Amino acid sequence: MQWSNLFIPTLRETPAEAEVPSHRLLLRAGYIRQLSAGIYSYLFLAQRSLLKITAIVREEMDAIGGQEMLLPALHPAEIWQESGRWDVMGANLFRLKDRWQRDLCLGMTHEEVMTSIARGELRSYKQLPQIWYQIQTKFRDEPRPKSGLLRVRQFIMKDSYSFDLDAAGLDAAYDKHYKAYCRIFDRCGLKYSVVEADSGAMGGSQSHEFMVSADAGEDFIAICDACGYAANLEKAVSAASAPAAADPEGDLTPEAFHTPGRKTIAEVGEFTGLPQTSQMKSLVMNADGKLLLVMLRGDHQLSETKFAAATVAKEIRQANADEIREAFGADAGSLGPVDVKNLRILADTALEGRRNMISGANRDDYHFRHVTPGEDFKAEFRDLRQAAAGDGCASCGAPLALKKTIELGHIFKLGYKYSESMGLNVLTAEGGEVPVIMGSYGIGIERVLSCAIEQSHDKDGMALPAAIAPFAVVVTPVNANDPAQRKAAEEIYEGCRALGLDALLDDRDERPGVKFKDADLIGIPFRITVGKKLAQGMVEFVERRTRASVDVPVAEAAAAVRAKCP
RNA sequence: CGGGGCGUGGCUCAGCCUGGUAGAGCGCCUGGUUCGGGACCAGGAGGCCGGAGGUUCGAAUCCUCUCGCCCCGACCA
């Protein structure tokens, strides 16, 4: 294509609203324009890139036997009510009414629709297994859209669903997806980690996330460089670091002492001269309306995900000040586990075996010293804390690192959640009726592009992987008014096209600086510059990422690009 | 939902405190000179200052309300 005919609205300056690199560059490079908060128009360049990404996704999904469909974005409330998610999803679900005042919503995922198709049609084990997928626009009324295309209210997602007779079948479908996702992200030129994840509201037993490390991300993962263990921070298991000070020996009795105005762990630590690791943190939680006391080491943080899993509660939150006062007779800041009779107490495993620690005394402005978990109070010991940087890896003991990441893809073993709630059953060989076991697998298409930019950019712009760049190569005559340059550039451009390359001819009557800057900005991986060396029959072949430049004869330029592209 | 910030030509911003009906740079259009990393000269187009109401002889500027956008936190497959 000829640049002079195209709509590529590059900006010299960064629009004020953009903060993260991918957002800045998508705007500056003329890929996207914002219509409203979290809602973007994808212009020519973005669309080309997204089409390349979806083509790769399609190829790999088809390769594992996936069958592409396209399902409605507009759903009747009934199917969401059946699965129970009409209520669970709350304000995140876009809801609307039709002219008859019937409730509808815009699909945020498609488990319900897929299951409703399957239950009408899948009747026999002989029809299993199935993998169905689609590439569809999804809608989520995010409380806080942000960071360009990273968190938006309308986005494209590849979602697939597997239907199997039994757990072994689900394992196989899950494994196929796992491998297909690796191939997809490899082909897209991304560096990523696969981590164990919480299956959360989706239900189900096993789940992995495909994460790209980036400062713009909003998820944390814990990762062990030594053995490869990696998990979402919500779920990561670790060996707690050693306490900073040894516990006092002996079978000591809790002893109250006055701590006027000392409420936080840090304040009590300063007051007692003891490190945070010698203290216990008492958190009061409300799980489905019941209060629980949670004990953690002073320097640890509660993982609400682990807590929710331990209590099997649907709704958890921190208890409010009134609830705390009523149950403990003291305010937060002076709470502790000693003599707590009527509440269930959960304690983190890092407290198991510790002795003679500090805790609140359930009396304002008093704490206890010499509190021994298991002796001075009874508790159920569970892994409840969030892993911290420097904790030991649970598998090999090497220190864990925390990384900020963007979630690109997520695969779930759903189990029977939807087949049971929505009545998707098949007959077995024995003639009995059993629910179908399902899996659900998503990829955020725009996030692939955003992550590629986050991973591959410099001060001049994007440096996209060739597989997903809107064009593979741009042919740039330095002086568009020089007939010889023009002719050579056109020949090379046609040569590239003949070799099946997506080529762009920068035929604009602009100064060379402008053309180079724009080419760098929009991230075309290769550039052929037709300039003064044309007199010797040579042109320059420049690689965007490395800036490496080699002179090649005009007749060989197209082939040189071809050799570098996937 | 809590906290903070911002809405002035396509973009970046000044003007607002101390009211007198709008500016710069970039971009855009025309002509000319240029042509290897965002050229130069000359001429030109483009803004009811987010919206509504109020104060005032007079509001981009002061007051009230409202809408929108961004950031931090909470929340979040």
Side-chain angles (χ1 to χ4, degrees):
Chain A
M1 295 195 183
Q2 300 180 328
W3 198 317
S4 63
N5 300 328
L6 299 177
F7 178 58
I8 302 176
T10 58
L11 300 173
R12 197 176 286 229
E13 288 177 279
T14 303
E17 72 261 23
E19 299 248 323
V20 304
S22 60
H23 189 197
R24 278 202 321 262
L25 291 171
L26 285 164
L27 286 169
R28 272 197 65 205
Y31 277 58
I32 63 172
R33 288 294 182 260
Q34 183 171 27
L35 183 60
S36 181
I39 305 177
Y40 287 87
S41 301
Y42 304 151
L43 308 185
F44 178 66
L45 290 182
Q47 174 66 354
R48 284 188 69 93
S49 178
L50 293 173
L51 285 171
K52 294 200 173 183
I53 294 165
T54 52
I56 290 170
V57 170
R58 271 198 184 90
E59 283 177 29
E60 296 299 340
M61 289 307 299
D62 291 350
I64 61 168
Q67 303 160 69
E68 185 171 3
M69 305 180 172
L70 182 62
L71 306 183
L74 194 56
H75 304 176
E78 284 77 10
I79 57 172
W80 286 78
Q81 287 160 349
E82 272 189 74
S83 70
R85 293 207 298 178
W86 181 259
D87 296 322
V88 172
M89 287 307 175
N92 268 19
L93 191 62
F94 274 107
R95 298 161 203 259
L96 62 158
K97 287 182 187 290
D98 68 11
R99 61 172 67 204
W100 310 110
Q101 301 301 305
R102 284 187 292 241
D103 288 313
L104 300 167
C105 65
L106 298 178
M108 52 197 297
T109 66
H110 280 70
E111 279 82 1
E112 282 83 359
V113 178
M114 282 285 186
T115 307
S116 81
I117 296 170
R119 69 177 166 185
E121 314 291 339
L122 298 177
R123 303 242 159 83
S124 160
Y125 73 95
K126 292 178 186 168
Q127 292 170 290
L128 301 180
Q130 294 285 329
I131 294 173
W132 297 350
Y133 77 97
Q134 64 163 352
I135 297 171
Q136 232 281 29
T137 300
K138 310 279 178 177
F139 300 87
R140 296 188 188 177
D141 196 359
E142 288 288 343
R144 185 148 105 79
K146 60 174 186 173
S147 307
L149 297 187
L150 286 175
R151 182 166 286 287
V152 289
R153 298 197 290 172
Q154 167 174 348
F155 57 99
I156 305 167
M157 183 172 177
K158 186 289 299 180
D159 52 322
S160 49
Y161 305 88
S162 63
F163 303 92
D164 284 279
L165 185 62
D166 53 29
L170 174 59
D171 289 347
Y174 189 88
D175 188 53
K176 281 181 180 175
H177 277 89
Y178 188 112
K179 290 183 173 130
Y181 276 33
C182 290
R183 284 192 295 271
I184 288 166
F185 299 133
D186 285 340
R187 287 181 61 185
C188 289
L190 294 171
K191 288 195 283 284
Y192 59 93
S193 309
V194 189
V195 306
E196 291 176 22
D198 179 59
S199 26
M202 305 290 285
S205 53
Q206 194 181 12
S207 169
H208 284 91
E209 289 169 331
F210 292 73
M211 310 294 270
V212 164
S213 171
D215 288 336
E218 36 190 13
D219 290 327
F220 280 91
I221 64 170
I223 189 160
C224 172
D225 286 332
C227 75
Y229 173 79
N232 191 305
L233 187 61
E234 298 179 329
K235 157 144 184 165
V237 183
S238 69
S241 56
D247 293 335
E249 292 294 327
D251 191 7
L252 304 172
T253 307
E255 175 190 315
F257 60 104
H258 193 44
T259 50
R262 273 68 174 191
K263 296 209 171 291
T264 66
I265 294 288
E267 286 164 358
V268 175
E270 198 178 324
F271 186 74
T272 58
L274 290 170
Q276 301 196 1
T277 53
S278 296
Q279 302 183 52
M280 285 186 284
K281 183 184 281 187
S282 308
L283 297 176
V284 187
M285 301 295 292
N286 182 316
D288 290 342
K290 281 191 187 163
L291 295 190
L292 283 89
L293 180 61
V294 177
M295 301 305 302
L296 293 168
R297 198 171 84 183
D299 59 319
H300 287 151
Q301 301 291 322
L302 177 68
S303 161
E304 293 204 1
T305 301
K306 291 180 182 178
F307 174 76
T311 57
V312 202
K314 289 194 183 65
E315 211 178 300
I316 60 167
R317 61 173 171 83
Q318 295 211 353
N320 63 40
D322 291 343
E323 291 169 333
I324 291 174
R325 187 84 217 172
E326 188 183 343
F328 290 85
D331 291 331
S334 302
L335 303 179
V338 179
D339 291 329
V340 171
K341 300 284 184 237
N342 302 323
L343 296 184
R344 189 173 164 197
I345 303 178
L346 295 178
D348 182 67
T349 49
L351 297 177
E352 210 163 5
R354 296 290 304 277
R355 299 196 66 78
N356 300 320
M357 301 177 72
I358 305 286
S359 81
N362 293 329
R363 182 178 161 198
D364 284 342
D365 291 332
Y366 281 86
H367 281 74
F368 281 129
R369 57 173 65 91
H370 304 154
V371 179
T372 299
E375 293 178 12
D376 296 315
F377 66 95
K378 283 207 212 83
E380 303 163 47
F381 288 98
R382 300 288 177 80
D383 176 28
L384 295 171
R385 69 180 182 280
Q386 219 171 57
D391 280 2
C393 171
S395 309
C396 75
L400 289 176
L402 256 44
K403 285 202 323 195
K404 215 174 181 185
T405 56
I406 298 166
E407 182 183 351
L408 266 182
H410 200 160
I411 57 179
F412 286 97
K413 289 185 180 173
L414 283 179
Y416 300 102
K417 179 178 161 72
Y418 296 90
S419 52
E420 282 181 349
S421 62
M422 297 182 67
L424 166 56
N425 301 309
V426 293
L427 292 177
T428 64
E430 292 76 36
E433 194 167 67
V434 295
V436 169
I437 190 164
M438 291 172 59
S440 157
Y441 318 87
I443 293 177
I445 302 296
E446 293 93 333
R447 284 188 176 182
V448 175
L449 174 58
S450 293
C451 285
I453 298 167
E454 292 290 335
Q455 276 190 347
S456 306
H457 70 271
D458 56 26
K459 65 176 175 44
D460 294 313
M462 307 178 186
L464 291 174
I468 65 170
F471 290 96
V473 58
V474 54
V475 184
T476 307
V478 169
N479 184 343
N481 296 319
D482 178 329
Q485 286 187 16
R486 211 181 165 97
K487 179 163 173 296
E490 279 167 12
E491 276 173 24
I492 294 166
Y493 166 72
E494 291 299 342
C496 288
R497 283 167 48 87
L499 292 175
L501 291 165
D502 276 325
L504 181 59
L505 177 63
D506 194 351
D507 59 339
R508 294 175 299 169
D509 184 14
E510 289 285 356
R511 296 171 60 82
V514 172
K515 295 195 265 196
F516 294 152
K517 290 286 187 191
D518 273 345
D520 288 350
L521 180 59
I522 69 174
I524 308 301
F526 301 106
R527 187 179 80 214
I528 305 265
T529 307
V530 181
K532 56 195 174 213
K533 292 172 192 160
L534 185 62
Q536 288 81 51
M538 305 294 273
V539 293
E540 286 164 41
F541 177 37
V542 187
E543 186 175 0
R544 170 68 180 85
R545 275 169 187 258
T546 60
R547 304 255 184 230
S549 171
V550 293
D551 295 341
V552 296
V554 172
E556 293 169 24
V561 180
R562 179 74 268 179
K564 287 273 201 171
C565 287

